[in-house]
Every structure is written in C-alpha cells, then in structure tokens.
Amino acid sequence: MPGERKRIVSSNQRHAHPGSKGPSTTPSPVKRTVSETSQRSQRNYSITSQKPKNMDKTKPTHVGHGRAKTQPPPETKKVEEPIPVHEQNGNNNSEPEVEVEMDDNTDRAKEESSSDLENNKSETVQQKEDDDKKSESEEKWAEKAPEEYNIKSFNDKILEYSEVFETDKFDNVNEDFPVEDLISFVNVISGTIDEFKQQSQDSQKQLEELCSKMKHVKENIHFSITKRQMELSPEEEIQSIEQRELTEKLAKLNAEVARANAELSEAIRLSVETERTATAAQVYAQKAKDEAQQIEEEIELKRNHEAKKKVEEARKMEEAIQKQEEEERMIEQAKQDKEAEWKRKESGFVEKSAVWEKWPTFEIVLENGDVGCVVRASPGHFSPDHVELEPVSQLNCNLTYGPQEELVSSILRLSSTIEDGKLDVPVYICVPFTLSRTSAHSREPFIKAEINGRWSDLETREVTFDHHKEAKFAQAELKTFAKFAVMTRLKRDYITFSKRSAKIASSYDQRVTLTVPKETFKSREHVLLQVQPVDSTTIHELQQKKPECKHILTSSPIIKISWEGADIVKPITVTIPCPPNPAKARKIAQMRKMKEDKMKQARPVIVTYDEEQEKKRLLEEKKKKYQQQQEEAMNELEEKKFVQTKWYMGDYAHTDDDENDLLYLLTQSSNGKWSVLENIHIHQIKLDLLQFDMTKPLDSFMVLRTRMNTPDDTVALMANIISEFLSQRFAQVLVKQRSDDPYDTLISVVPANKAVKTSKEMAAKGYIEGPDPSPVINLNEGDHIEIAFRGNICDTTNRPPLFVYNSNIISELEVYLSEVDKYLQKNFRVYRGKIQIYRCYCDVKEKKAKRQMSVADDIAQTAITEKIKQHLCDIPINIPKYNLESSPVPVKAPVTIVNDSDPINENLMRYLAVEMGEEWRRLAQILNVSRARMQAILRNIQISDGTEEDARYEMLMSWLKKMPKAVDKVSTLNGALMRCGRDDLTEEIQKRNKEFRMQHIH
C-alpha cells in the first residue's frame, strides 16, 4: 500500500543451494559448524606437553595400529528453520530491522517482488532441504571422526614413546642393548606417524572442499544481487530500498564469508604445519631406525672386537706366561753362569786342565819387527796367513778409560785378509805389555776389546812363554775380529759369602780383612773388593802443596767394596792398616835400636826352668797391663777434648801433640763427596793396624790419622783432596833438540817421577839441547795433548800437533822447526818462540730438563758433553839463523899415549880407521862409545871439513883414552872386531901383538 511502512527482516539462517541461480544466504548453523571445526582443529593439532600420570616408566609400552578411544566431542548444533518476520520482532537477539516506507506507486512492484520472493522462498526451502541433508552427513562425519581417530590419544602416545626412550634400557649402550626391541618399537612409531599423516591429509582435503563450496555460494549470492539490480526499474522507490537492504545484507554476508575464509585458511595452515611435523617425525623415526641399526652393527663389531680381544689377551697371557717361564729359566741360567764365573774369578781364572794349553801357538809380528801378539787356536781352524795385525792410533779410536785404569800396551786391530772373513772358533790372544814392579804389586792387567762399537772387559789371565821369558803376556778369549789393548786396574778380589762365618783377606795386602759372623747375610752374597794404596810420599806432597792438609799425619788405603745386596744382619769386623804417628814411630824405632844394641852387647846367662816360667808370667802381665793402659788412654781421648796450652807452629797444640793423634772413619757417597761417620769406635790393635765394626754396607771408606788440634770440619775436605790427588797424573813436558840438527825437536810428556830417566834416554838418542823441563802439570789417563807455536817459530811437518798421554807408554811428538819470517828478530842471533801445551778433554755434565718429563722418559736429566781445551804451560825455544858464521874448529889439546904393555897405540888406531868401512858405527856401540860423543865427533868433522876416516880415528881414540891401563885392550878390541865381521883386522892385531911381545922379551 502507498504510504505504508513495512518491516523486512533479513536472517542469516537463509542460504541458497550451490546449484541455484537466485540470491541466497548462508544459514548460520552451517557457518557455526565450520567455525567449531576449525577451532577444534586448532585445539587438537597442538601437541600438549603434559605427561600422563599413570604411566609405567620401567617397561616399554607396545602401541598397536588401532585407534584409541576418546571422549565424544560436543554435539554439533543443528540447523534451525527460518524464523518468520512476525516471530522475530519479539526476539531480543535478532538482527536489527530495516524499515522501508513505500508509496502507492510501488504496490505493483511490491506485488511482483512478493511473487518473486515466494518463488525464491520455494527455491530456498528446496535448497534448505538439500543443505540439511549435506549438513547431516557432515555432522555425522564430525561425530564419527573422533571415535575413529582422537588427536589427544595420539599426543599421549607420543609422550609415552618419549618416556620409553628416556629409560635406562635405551639410554645405556652396551653389550645387552635391546636392538630388536628398538627396531620393533621404531616400526610402531612409524606406523602411528603414518596414520596421523593420513588423517591430516584427509582433514586438509575436506577443508579444501569446504572452502571451494563456500566460494561458490558467495559467487551465487553476488550474481543474484547483481541480477536483481538489473531487473529493478529506477522509478520504483521500493526497489531501491530493497536494493539497499540487500546490499547491506550482502556486505554482512561477505564479512561472515571472509571471516570463515580466514578461519579456513588458518585451519589449512595448521593442517600443513601438522603434516610437516608428521613428516619430520617420520624422518626422525627413520633416522632413529637407522641409528638403531647402526648401533646394532656397532654392538656386533664391539662384540667381535671383544671376542678378538679376549682371544688376544688369552694369547698374550699365554705368551707372558711362557716369557715369564723363559725369563725365570734365563735368570736361573744367568745365576748359574754367574756362580760359575764368580768361581772362576775367585780362582783367578786358573783351570786345572785347560784345553788351550795343548793348542798350537802362532806368533804375529808387526811391521817394525816387534811381537804384536801370540794366538792360541784349535788345530786346523786358524791360519796366520789369513789374518792381519796392525797398530791403531789412539786418536783414531775412542778408547774409554774407567776409574784408575791405565793403558800398558799398544792398541791393535786383528782383521781378516779375506772379504767377510770370520773366526770359525774362538781363539785365545796373548798380548805383551809393560808394567813396573811397583805397579804390579797393586794392579792387575786385563784386555779390553771393542765389540759392536763398545769397549768391554774380557776375562784375562797372565801367561808367559819360554821363548819370551823377559816379556809378560795377557791372555783372553776372542770370538770375533776386533780392536783390543791391555790395560791395568786395581787388583780385584771376588768373594762369596754364605750364611756361615768367614774371614777373608785382600790379595794386595793381607792386613786388610773382613770378618763375617754367622747368619750375617740372608742369602749368598757376592762381594768385589779393591784396595787403592795411599803411600807416605802422597801424604808428604799434600802436606807440602796443600795448606788444608797440614794437620794430616797418615792415611789408610782406600777400600772399595761392591755389594750385590744391601742387607747386613750382624756387624762385620774390618781390619785395615794405617801407618803410625811419625813421631811415635821414630821413638819406637829408637827404642828398638837401643834394644838391639843392648842385645848385641849382652852376655849369655844360664836360665833355669823356673826362672823361664816366671819371666813368661811377668811378660804376660806386662802385656795385659799395656793393653789396659792403651784402652784407658783411648777412652780418655774419646771422652775429653784436648787442652790448648802453648803456641805451636801457628796453632794451639797439646804438650804431647807430636805423639798423640785422632782417628776418623770417612765414607764416600754416590756423588763422590767424602763425609765423616759418627759414633764409630776405631781400635788400634797394633801399631799400624786398626779395627772397627761395620754395621751397614759401605762402598768406599778410609781412615785418616790427624793431629789433635785438627778442626772437625776440615777432615772431610782432606779426604776429598786425597781422592782427587790420587785420580790425577802429575807430568812434565820435555823439549829436546838434536845436537847436530837443532831444528829437529822432540816433545815428550812423561810422569814427573820419570823425567830424569827420560831425559837420559833422549840424550842417548842425540836429543841433548833444549830448554829446561816444564813445571809439573796435572793430567788424566787418555787426555789429548795439543801443541801450538807462538813467536817466530813454526812446525814445517804436516803431522797433526796432537797426541795422547799415557803413564806407561811413550807420549811424544817429533817436529821440525823453522822460522816464520826470516826478517824478524834481527837483533838476535837466534829465532825465538814458544811452544804452547794444551790439554783437550770432554766434560760430561748432567743438566735438568726445563720441561716436565713424562713417564716414558727414563730420567729427568740429560747428559751434556762439553769439549774443553785447557792451557797447561808455555816452553820457550830457540833455533839458529841460517846466516850465522860457522863455529870455529875446536882446538884439541895435545895428548900423548904412553903404552908399554901392548901394541894398541895411535899408529894402530890410524891403520884401523883406514881399513874399516860402515861397520865402524856398530863397533862404536860395542865399545860403549856414547851417542853424545858420536854426535860431537860428527859435528866437529862437519865444521872442520874432515873425512869419515877422521871420524873413525876420533872414535877409536875416544875409546882408547877412557880405557884403564889394567884392561886387556887387545882382547877387547879383537872381540869387538870379530862381532863386526872383520876377522882380517883381528889377525893383523894378533900379528902386531906377537911382534910387540918378541921385541920386549929380547
């Protein structure tokens, strides 16, 4: 009706079928169902972190492939019927109403619109029925899905699986690891993840279909509204109002659809993320499966390795047992060999029936004609033609010297002339050596050979040969070709102690004894005993040279003992010699001399038996009283200190200081330092014999007898000085020039006590001129002596200015001197210079490493060898210049020989000088004409331009002048000429002798 206002209510509960063309609205129940579905998807797809309370953590839960039953979801709201307009007016929750006023002109349009609405209503009802069916099917799926698959049950299963993996059963990987359970469990997890992935894919597919249908509905609604706008006439006002209403409704519907689309997109996104998570979980499950398989392989490898290890350990254990048994056998064998060797050493390597005594001997001679060595070999196994013996210079071999060792022979090399030649069987070599009688008393020879690059001591014994009675030989067994030499050391005594009591004495000095009580050692004990003498000459030199040793009186020898063990149950009584106090010794010597003189002057007295017994009794009482007095005196000396009473030689001394003394026992530590042993009671059982008890093994010890005023802190210092003094060698350098050729010079380094003797020997060789001997220098055995020149003197020979010092072997160097510059030193009639003597040796020092040494290192110290060159002395020397005038011819004093007893006169000497040849030099040696006189004769002949005949005549006249008149000169001269092979001259002398005697008879 015109002017009548009508209320048109738009409801969200209307919707059009997707297949219809007219305008339609989407009912709200369907929209709410989609929203609730998306919210449920968001809630169920989120993985909760809460753990189930009642879950067994000790046993793994086996999960099947069936779906877990959960609580049914809340009921989906049903789609309501459209509400009429008149029923919606009373509903407060209804949507706002739109009032439109229509005039009378629009009635027809309204009727047409009403008819269209009725048509649309019928279509809408039909569409509603179809949508209700579809909604019912969707609601049925929504109600059915939770029963078939519940996301909460899936989350609970995942938590349960995680807790199973946290148990100790799968956490600790060892031999008992359940690999098969792990594989089956991983398969169950993979099945669960696959099921979840399938459900996620179905949900995503349904959401995509829903989104497509909603989009289709939106397009239909937009198409319907557009169509209605085109059908409405612009004149109809009612149509505009309705159009506005429809536009507003379309906007609201678009907002609702947009919101639904947003929720749908979020659901799709969550579905994609869920699928991605499921894929990652499946990847992790596959990785866990691979890791489980790898763990199974590792366990299998480990099991195989353990089995091999057990087999290897069993094998090593068996080898160790065999090795231990072999070592025990070797130790036992070595022990037996050591016992046998020790017995041989105790017996001095003397065998009752030695096999080598019957072997043939082969004498090998050096190039200079001296005997190099004698070889004893089994018959048929050695040929001297296939071996070569040659001397070796000490500069070319690194010979090592031990403490107190000296070289007494040349170093020889025995080699084969055949390539790769070897000794078929061991041979015995006998090497000659030189040793003085004094040294032979305290030292013993031994052979040292270089075997495999190392010098080793060989078992040696001293032998002699009938055809070389004047020489001494050292014999040792040699199993291969090598270098060898004879050396000497302190005498060794090899002793074996058992549990029985024993008393042994040193082979060097029988006064050195060790008395061992019973049960002193727990087992057999091997002891090596050496005695180093300390003579009175050494003490006297120390008193003169060392101010620290002015308080020392005498010293015992140094006793060195090498113990195999270190346990002494009972004390060992040691007896050691020590010279008495010199003042007391002189007093006793005087008393003994007076007693001897008295006994010489005493008359024989007849003594009865009773008187003799009485004298014995009195003598015994006197001895006991004397011993008691000695013990009391010793006790008093130990209890009280000396009293300073008067000034004596710069020190306070007791009145009886010259006769009383103190005794100190000193021992040497491993670092070579000496120290005084306290609380040791030393008893003087005889004038030169001391005794004390040794409670612990001492490696090296000695006793010092000092003055009463000796400070205690100087005693150890004196012992160190004595030990160092004995280890050194005191020598002098002799430089001699040949008398007929002063440029020919001989430099020799000899022991100080042999300097005079060596000078005479050098003079006999013609080396007479030269400077005085050098001061005494300190050397060691085997030191290298280097020669250098200063000034206008040099050596023209190309020999190395180096040689080795040895006490028992000649240590010399021959040089030929010349001037450096003949235009220097014009103001002197000679060229002047100096010979410098240097000592070259190696000093081995131990230095601690800066870093922390590891367990693999043997010691935390490294040995450093430092080469030291020490200057010893300078010796001035002169050589003549070439432009000097020749010496004047010596003027001879007129000598007239008056001889009436034989025909030996000047005429006969001249005749022999004319007739003799080169044998005149040998004749001079037989007639004992010294070399110095021979050198002088030759020099005089050269100066005076004489002939060799004049030299022969001068030699014969020199012999004749020194012969006494009482000597039968004819026999002497005839014997000498016969030894020279000049029998013709002997016959001439005999002929002249007969004529001389015939003339004197008549």
Side-chain angles (χ1 to χ4, degrees):
M1 291 184 177
E4 185 179 358
R5 293 173 178 267
K6 293 185 179 180
R7 183 178 297 169
I8 300 175
V9 181
S10 63
S11 176
N12 293 329
Q13 298 172 358
R14 297 176 183 176
H15 62 90
H17 193 274
S20 63
K21 298 180 180 179
S24 62
T25 60
T26 305
S28 59
V30 176
K31 180 179 66 178
R32 286 195 299 270
T33 303
V34 173
S35 177
E36 290 174 0
T37 304
S38 63
Q39 292 177 3
R40 187 166 59 249
S41 300
Q42 292 180 1
R43 181 173 62 255
N44 292 341
Y45 277 39
S46 62
I47 300 174
T48 179
S49 61
Q50 296 180 358
K51 298 181 180 180
K53 296 181 180 180
N54 299 327
M55 180 175 291
D56 190 3
K57 296 184 179 181
T58 58
K59 298 182 179 180
T61 306
H62 298 282
V63 181
H65 295 281
R67 297 178 181 177
K69 295 182 179 181
T70 58
Q71 295 293 332
E75 296 180 357
T76 306
K77 294 181 180 181
K78 297 181 180 181
V79 181
E80 298 178 356
E81 296 292 335
I83 303 174
V85 176
H86 64 275
E87 293 179 0
Q88 293 180 0
N89 292 332
N91 192 358
N92 296 328
N93 297 328
S94 61
E95 296 181 1
E97 299 177 356
V98 181
E99 295 181 357
V100 181
E101 295 183 357
M102 299 181 181
D103 54 7
D104 297 334
N105 296 328
T106 61
D107 290 338
R108 188 177 52 174
K110 188 189 309 181
E111 291 176 357
E112 293 177 358
S113 176
S114 298
S115 61
D116 293 335
L117 289 173
E118 291 294 335
N119 294 331
N120 291 333
K121 183 177 181 181
S122 61
E123 293 178 358
T124 301
V125 170
Q126 184 66 30
Q127 182 69 24
K128 175 178 171 295
E129 291 177 357
D130 296 338
D131 292 341
D132 289 341
K133 292 180 181 179
K134 187 174 183 180
S135 297
E136 288 178 1
S137 64
E138 291 177 357
E139 288 177 1
K140 288 180 181 180
W141 175 84
E143 292 178 359
K144 184 179 179 181
E147 294 178 358
E148 295 179 355
Y149 186 80
N150 192 343
I151 191 64
K152 183 177 180 181
S153 176
F154 171 76
N155 293 336
D156 293 341
K157 289 180 182 180
I158 296 300
L159 289 176
E160 185 177 356
Y161 298 158
S162 300
E163 291 181 355
V164 170
F165 280 116
E166 291 178 357
T167 59
D168 295 338
K169 184 176 182 180
F170 293 99
D171 192 20
N172 298 327
V173 179
N174 50 25
E175 296 180 356
D176 300 332
F177 188 81
V179 179
E180 297 179 357
D181 295 344
L182 177 62
I183 294 174
S184 61
F185 193 53
V186 169
N187 292 331
V188 171
I189 295 174
S190 299
T192 304
I193 293 174
D194 292 339
E195 183 180 0
F196 174 75
K197 185 177 179 180
Q198 184 65 33
Q199 294 294 335
S200 299
Q201 291 177 355
D202 295 342
S203 300
Q204 184 177 358
K205 185 176 181 181
Q206 293 175 2
L207 288 174
E208 289 176 355
E209 292 179 356
L210 178 61
C211 182
S212 177
K213 290 180 180 181
M214 291 178 66
K215 185 177 179 181
H216 183 68
V217 170
K218 178 181 176 183
E219 291 176 355
N220 291 338
I221 294 173
H222 186 271
F223 177 76
S224 176
I225 293 173
T226 304
K227 183 178 180 181
R228 291 290 301 272
Q229 287 179 355
M230 294 177 64
E231 290 177 356
L232 290 176
S233 60
E235 294 87 4
E236 295 179 356
E237 223 177 286
I238 184 68
Q239 187 70 18
S240 299
I241 294 172
E242 186 176 358
Q243 183 178 2
R244 286 196 296 271
E245 290 180 354
L246 292 175
T247 303
E248 291 178 358
K249 291 180 180 180
L250 179 61
K252 290 182 181 180
L253 183 61
N254 288 335
E256 292 293 335
V257 171
R259 187 173 60 185
N261 288 334
E263 292 178 355
L264 182 61
S265 299
E266 183 67 20
I268 293 172
R269 186 184 65 80
L270 292 176
S271 176
V272 171
E273 289 182 358
T274 305
E275 184 177 0
R276 187 183 297 113
T277 303
T279 304
Q282 187 176 8
V283 171
Y284 291 149
Q286 183 64 29
K287 187 182 293 185
K289 185 176 180 180
D290 296 340
E291 290 180 355
Q293 187 175 0
Q294 184 178 0
I295 290 172
E296 183 180 9
E297 293 176 357
E298 290 179 356
I299 292 176
E300 184 66 22
L301 290 176
K302 188 175 180 181
R303 188 181 296 110
N304 295 335
H305 179 70
E306 291 293 334
K308 292 181 180 179
K309 187 176 180 181
K310 288 181 180 180
V311 174
E312 185 68 19
E313 287 179 354
R315 186 182 62 81
K316 288 183 178 180
M317 182 66 69
E318 185 178 357
E319 290 180 356
I321 293 173
Q322 293 178 357
K323 186 177 180 181
Q324 183 177 2
E325 293 177 353
E326 182 67 19
E327 288 179 354
E328 291 177 356
R329 189 186 66 79
M330 293 295 292
I331 291 172
E332 185 66 25
Q333 184 66 28
K335 188 175 180 181
Q336 294 177 1
D337 295 342
K338 185 176 181 180
E339 290 290 339
E341 181 183 358
W342 203 266
K343 289 181 180 179
R344 290 199 308 272
K345 290 180 179 180
E346 288 180 359
S347 61
F349 304 105
V350 177
E351 301 177 7
K352 294 182 179 180
S353 58
V355 181
W356 49 264
E357 290 181 352
K358 300 179 181 180
W359 288 357
T361 58
F362 304 92
E363 188 174 300
I364 303 178
V365 183
L366 300 176
E367 293 181 356
N368 58 3
D370 297 335
V371 178
C373 71
V374 179
V375 179
R376 296 178 186 266
S378 178
H381 291 86
F382 181 81
S383 175
D385 298 333
H386 296 162
V387 296
E388 181 183 3
L389 185 69
E390 57 181 349
V392 181
S393 175
Q394 293 190 55
L395 299 175
N396 299 330
C397 63
N398 188 18
L399 178 63
T400 57
Y401 291 81
Q404 300 297 325
E405 290 184 355
E406 298 177 357
L407 183 66
V408 292
S409 76
S410 301
I411 302 176
L412 304 174
R413 179 193 289 116
L414 183 65
S415 58
S416 176
T417 57
I418 304 175
E419 188 177 358
D420 297 334
K422 296 181 180 179
L423 291 175
D424 297 336
V425 294
V427 298
Y428 287 88
I429 55 172
C430 306
V431 186
F433 64 93
T434 57
L435 186 63
S436 63
R437 186 175 300 178
T438 305
S439 300
H441 182 60
S442 60
R443 307 181 69 84
E444 63 180 9
F446 71 99
I447 294 179
K448 181 176 283 191
E450 186 181 20
I451 301 174
N452 297 327
R454 182 179 180 182
W455 289 90
S456 305
D457 300 347
L458 304 181
E459 295 181 1
T460 309
R461 58 173 299 173
E462 190 173 346
V463 296
T464 57
F465 294 95
D466 295 337
H467 52 286
H468 294 289
K469 291 184 178 180
E470 70 281 358
K472 298 179 180 179
F473 290 83
Q475 177 179 294
E477 184 182 12
L478 193 65
K479 298 180 180 180
T480 181
F481 292 109
K483 299 176 186 176
F484 52 87
V486 181
M487 306 185 74
T488 61
R489 62 193 175 197
L490 298 176
K491 281 189 175 180
R492 294 183 174 183
D493 294 319
Y494 299 91
I495 308 163
T496 302
F497 290 111
S498 61
K499 294 184 179 181
R500 299 179 181 178
S501 60
K503 181 178 181 180
I504 59 98
S506 171
S507 59
Y508 162 68
D509 192 344
Q510 297 294 325
R511 296 175 296 176
V512 179
T513 62
L514 297 177
T515 305
V516 180
K518 187 178 181 181
E519 301 293 338
T520 300
F521 299 101
K522 297 180 180 179
S523 60
R524 294 175 65 87
E525 178 72 19
H526 298 294
V527 175
L528 174 61
L529 175 64
Q530 288 180 297
V531 179
Q532 183 178 3
V534 182
D535 53 7
S536 58
T537 305
T538 302
I539 300 299
H540 181 69
E541 290 182 6
L542 289 175
Q543 290 174 346
Q544 298 296 326
K545 297 178 181 180
K546 302 290 184 180
E548 299 88 352
C549 298
K550 64 181 178 180
H551 294 286
I552 190 172
L553 295 175
T554 59
S555 172
S556 71
I558 299 176
I559 311 300
K560 298 180 180 181
I561 304 177
S562 298
W563 305 87
E564 188 178 25
D567 296 331
I568 294 180
V569 179
K570 298 179 181 179
I572 299 175
T573 303
V574 180
T575 303
I576 184 172
C578 182
N581 191 327
K584 187 180 293 186
R586 287 193 298 269
K587 185 176 180 180
I588 294 175
Q590 290 177 0
M591 293 175 62
R592 186 176 300 165
K593 185 177 180 181
M594 291 174 60
K595 187 176 180 180
E596 289 177 356
D597 294 341
K598 187 176 180 180
M599 292 296 294
K600 289 180 181 179
Q601 297 176 1
R603 297 178 181 179
V605 179
I606 300 174
V607 182
T608 61
Y609 177 77
D610 296 336
E611 291 177 353
E612 185 178 358
Q613 292 295 328
E614 183 66 20
K615 284 185 178 181
K616 288 183 179 179
R617 186 183 63 80
L618 293 174
L619 184 60
E620 290 178 358
E621 291 179 356
K622 188 176 180 180
K623 286 183 178 179
K624 290 180 180 180
K625 186 176 180 181
Y626 176 76
Q627 292 179 358
Q628 185 176 1
Q629 290 176 356
Q630 289 287 341
E631 292 177 358
E632 291 177 357
M634 292 297 294
N635 293 332
E636 289 178 0
L637 289 175
E638 292 176 358
E639 291 176 359
K640 64 181 181 180
K641 298 290 183 179
F642 64 92
V643 181
Q644 298 176 353
T645 56
K646 69 174 184 177
W647 184 263
Y648 177 74
M649 294 297 291
D651 291 321
Y652 285 106
H654 196 269
T655 305
D656 299 329
D657 184 54
D658 290 339
E659 296 183 3
N660 297 327
D661 49 47
L662 296 175
L663 296 174
Y664 293 92
L665 177 63
L666 298 100
T667 181
Q668 190 177 24
S669 60
S670 58
N671 58 0
K673 299 298 182 181
W674 289 83
S675 60
V676 180
L677 286 179
E678 303 292 342
N679 302 324
I680 300 295
H681 298 282
I682 303 175
H683 306 284
Q684 184 164 351
I685 56 178
K686 288 186 179 181
L687 184 64
D688 60 345
L689 202 61
L690 305 177
Q691 190 179 77
F692 64 92
D693 291 336
M694 181 170 57
T695 57
K696 62 179 181 179
L698 301 178
D699 295 334
S700 183
F701 59 90
M702 65 185 299
V703 176
L704 290 182
R705 189 189 298 273
T706 63
R707 299 182 185 276
M708 295 293 296
N709 58 346
T710 303
D712 294 339
D713 55 350
T714 61
V715 178
L717 178 61
M718 289 188 289
N720 290 324
I721 293 174
I722 292 173
S723 179
E724 183 179 359
F725 187 85
L726 293 175
S727 64
Q728 295 176 348
R729 300 293 182 268
F730 298 95
Q732 285 183 296
V733 182
L734 303 179
V735 179
K736 296 298 179 180
Q737 298 168 278
R738 187 178 290 275
S739 57
D740 56 344
D741 188 2
Y743 302 99
D744 188 2
T745 306
L746 186 63
I747 304 172
S748 180
V749 182
V750 298
N753 56 358
K754 298 180 181 179
V756 177
K757 181 180 178 181
T758 307
S759 297
K760 294 180 180 180
E761 293 176 355
M762 296 173 72
K765 295 178 182 179
Y767 295 93
I768 301 173
E769 306 296 333
D772 295 334
S774 70
V776 178
I777 57 177
N778 297 337
L779 296 173
N780 290 331
E781 283 289 323
D783 282 347
H784 289 193
I785 306 300
E786 185 175 346
I787 306 298
F789 297 93
R790 271 182 53 191
N792 200 19
I793 300 295
C794 67
D795 181 22
T796 58
T797 61
N798 295 325
R799 304 191 194 103
L802 193 68
F803 60 95
V804 181
Y805 170 76
N806 294 108
S807 301
N808 301 282
I809 297 178
I810 297 175
S811 304
E812 61 185 14
L813 179 67
E814 186 176 359
V815 296
Y816 198 84
L817 301 180
S818 178
E819 75 281 357
V820 177
D821 189 351
K822 65 180 180 179
Y823 298 104
L824 294 178
Q825 299 176 346
K826 293 183 178 180
N827 297 330
F828 301 100
R829 295 178 59 85
V830 295
Y831 295 114
R832 294 183 176 183
K834 288 185 178 181
I835 299 177
Q836 295 179 317
I837 309 298
Y838 292 92
R839 173 195 175 199
C840 303
Y841 64 98
C842 295
D843 187 15
V844 180
K845 297 181 180 180
E846 290 186 353
K847 182 180 179 182
K848 280 191 176 181
K850 294 182 180 180
R851 66 180 180 86
Q852 184 68 27
M853 304 301 288
S854 62
V855 181
D857 298 328
D858 295 333
I859 53 175
Q861 293 181 347
T862 55
I864 300 176
T865 303
E866 181 181 2
K867 293 184 178 180
I868 299 177
K869 185 177 180 180
Q870 178 186 1
H871 178 259
L872 296 177
C873 63
D874 290 343
I875 301 175
I877 190 170
N878 303 327
I879 57 174
K881 292 185 177 180
Y882 295 114
N883 57 358
L884 292 178
E885 297 179 359
S886 59
S887 301
V889 179
V891 180
K892 298 180 181 180
V895 177
T896 303
I897 298 176
V898 179
N899 187 8
D900 298 334
S901 60
D902 53 44
I904 306 302
N905 51 24
E906 296 178 359
N907 295 331
L908 181 60
M909 297 297 104
R910 177 62 68 177
Y911 172 80
L912 294 177
V914 173
E915 295 296 330
M916 281 193 301
E918 294 296 332
E919 69 275 2
W920 74 278
R921 296 178 184 271
R922 178 168 172 76
L923 180 64
Q925 294 179 358
I926 297 172
L927 295 176
N928 294 326
V929 179
S930 65
R931 289 191 178 185
R933 181 56 188 161
M934 290 289 293
Q935 296 295 335
I937 291 171
L938 293 174
R939 183 176 66 252
N940 295 336
I941 293 300
Q942 291 176 358
I943 294 173
S944 60
D945 297 331
T947 61
E948 190 174 353
E949 179 182 342
D950 297 332
R952 293 194 289 267
Y953 175 75
E954 290 293 335
M955 183 272 294
L956 293 172
M957 290 302 295
S958 297
W959 167 76
L960 182 59
K961 289 175 183 178
K962 71 176 184 178
M963 291 297 292
K965 291 184 177 181
V967 176
D968 187 0
K969 294 183 281 295
V970 175
S971 300
T972 303
L973 187 58
N974 285 337
L977 290 171
M978 290 179 66
R979 292 177 64 183
C980 294
R982 296 303 301 269
D983 296 340
D984 54 338
L985 297 179
T986 302
E987 293 177 357
E988 181 64 26
I989 294 173
Q990 291 290 352
K991 180 180 178 181
R992 292 194 180 194
N993 188 24
K994 288 180 181 181
E995 293 177 355
F996 178 81
R997 291 187 180 278
M998 291 296 294
Q999 291 176 1
H1000 280 72
I1001 290 174
H1002 296 290

